[in-house]
Amino acid sequence: DGNTKDSRTEVKWDFPALMSSLTRQVDKAKSYMRDMMPNKFDYEEIRQSDETAHGTSDEFAKSHLLGSKSLGLFSSIVIVVNNIAGPGMLVLPMVYQEAGWVVPTVVLLLICVGSGFAATFLVDTMARIPENGRFQRRIEFVNIFEEYWGMKGMYIAQVGFIMNMMAQICSSIVSNAQVMDSFIVFLSPYSSTYALQLWPSLDFLTWKPPKEMLDRAPTMSMAEATNCHRTNVVPFRLEDGVSENRVIISFGYILLGVLLIPMSLMNL
């Protein structure tokens, strides 16, 4: 019994062995990630792969990696429109209306110049990676950080990139779904759109603009149309002073998904 007690005590308080085991597991995970991520981005390895077994190198890249190395015309148009028509595009008319045309135009030009310099520096940094002077290799955004800052830099860049994309995606989905619902109201003979409420209670919702606004819609001026958002004439938006939280899936949201989800599955 004494020997058993001592053995249990030794195992229970053997922190060096526990830390050594954890370290080995972490090293195995790092090794696995290192094998799975960096080597998979090396386009030269794909070009030198067995094309007899995998077909052309582009076909092998499309099926095993993040798509082919180059973009087609349609893919380029989709990416440019996606980058330009973000959620900020919806408020630009109101910005120009309230601030005039001089200050917003100057700010947008400065942002354009800054973005151009940032893109140039990024491309230059990518070209300075060994054996990539003419962009022969398959180098993604996070691989630049990996080359100069190591694996930790790559992980930090990857997390920051994903968080930035999620913030943009969430705001864009909400704004674009509201625009799509407004478009459905415009096309609907009943001037209404619909939604399924999931929380706090299961319900079917119908929304339409105020009657006086519908009556004035054919002769409404641009300034009056801009004031719609100021007066909370936004699909399924609660009135001022109402703070109830709810989760809904609108018809515009579903239609937006039907249109955009196939594009998200394309090779871009």
Side-chain angles (χ1 to χ4, degrees):
D1 293 339
N3 293 334
T4 304
K5 183 177 181 180
D6 293 338
S7 176
R8 291 179 179 177
T9 303
E10 182 180 356
V11 172
K12 181 178 180 181
W13 296 100
D14 193 3
F15 287 109
L18 178 61
M19 294 303 299
S20 177
S21 176
L22 290 176
T23 302
R24 287 195 300 269
Q25 296 300 322
V26 171
D27 290 339
K28 288 182 180 179
K30 288 182 177 180
S31 177
Y32 175 78
M33 294 297 295
R34 192 178 297 111
D35 293 339
M36 291 297 294
M37 297 183 66
N39 294 335
K40 294 294 184 179
F41 292 105
D42 195 340
Y43 193 69
E44 286 301 312
E45 292 184 4
I46 302 170
R47 294 181 60 184
Q48 297 171 4
S49 63
D50 185 3
E51 295 187 2
T52 304
H54 302 294
T56 64
S57 56
D58 278 346
E59 291 176 353
F60 182 68
K62 290 178 182 179
S63 61
H64 289 78
L65 304 178
L66 302 179
S68 61
K69 185 170 181 286
S70 59
L71 298 177
L73 176 62
F74 179 73
S75 301
S76 301
I77 293 174
V78 170
I79 290 179
V80 170
V81 171
N82 179 63
N83 291 332
I84 293 176
M89 181 68 69
L90 302 176
V91 299
L92 278 180
M94 186 174 64
V95 170
Y96 271 90
Q97 184 184 30
E98 294 185 349
W101 65 272
V102 177
V103 175
T105 301
V106 171
V107 172
L108 288 176
L109 289 176
L110 292 176
I111 294 175
C112 178
V113 173
S115 299
F117 275 114
T120 302
F121 292 150
L122 179 64
V123 173
D124 180 73
T125 305
M126 185 181 296
R128 292 174 184 270
I129 294 178
E131 301 180 1
N132 196 47
R134 295 183 178 273
F135 306 104
Q136 306 96 317
R137 299 174 58 189
R138 174 64 182 268
I139 304 297
E140 300 292 338
F141 177 77
V142 296
N143 297 121
I144 300 175
F145 292 87
E146 176 192 0
E147 179 69 27
Y148 296 105
W149 291 357
M151 293 295 293
K152 291 183 179 179
M154 187 196 71
Y155 292 142
I156 294 174
Q158 186 73 71
V159 171
F161 178 78
I162 292 175
M163 291 178 63
N164 176 68
M165 292 300 297
M166 288 298 297
Q168 293 187 29
I169 289 171
C170 290
S171 58
S172 297
I173 288 176
V174 174
S175 300
N176 291 323
Q178 291 177 342
V179 172
M180 186 63 72
D181 279 309
S182 299
F183 185 61
I184 294 173
V185 171
F186 176 76
L187 296 179
S188 173
Y190 302 102
S191 299
S192 59
T193 184
Y194 310 94
L196 177 65
Q197 178 176 289
L198 303 178
W199 188 84
S201 61
L202 188 63
D203 196 6
F204 185 78
L205 306 178
T206 303
W207 183 91
K208 63 173 53 182
K211 186 177 183 304
E212 59 272 13
M213 182 166 292
L214 290 175
D215 296 337
R216 290 166 40 215
T219 59
M220 184 178 293
S221 65
M222 184 64 68
E224 291 176 326
T226 305
N227 288 330
C228 288
H229 283 267
R230 298 179 183 175
T231 55
N232 286 341
V233 185
V234 179
F236 304 106
R237 182 173 180 177
L238 297 174
E239 299 178 356
D240 290 337
V242 179
S243 59
E244 178 185 3
N245 295 323
R246 57 181 181 171
V247 177
I248 65 173
I249 299 177
S250 68
F251 185 48
Y253 178 84
I254 296 175
L255 184 59
L256 193 67
V258 171
L259 294 175
L260 298 183
I261 288 178
M263 287 189 182
S264 68
L265 301 177
M266 292 181 180
N267 171 44
L268 297 178

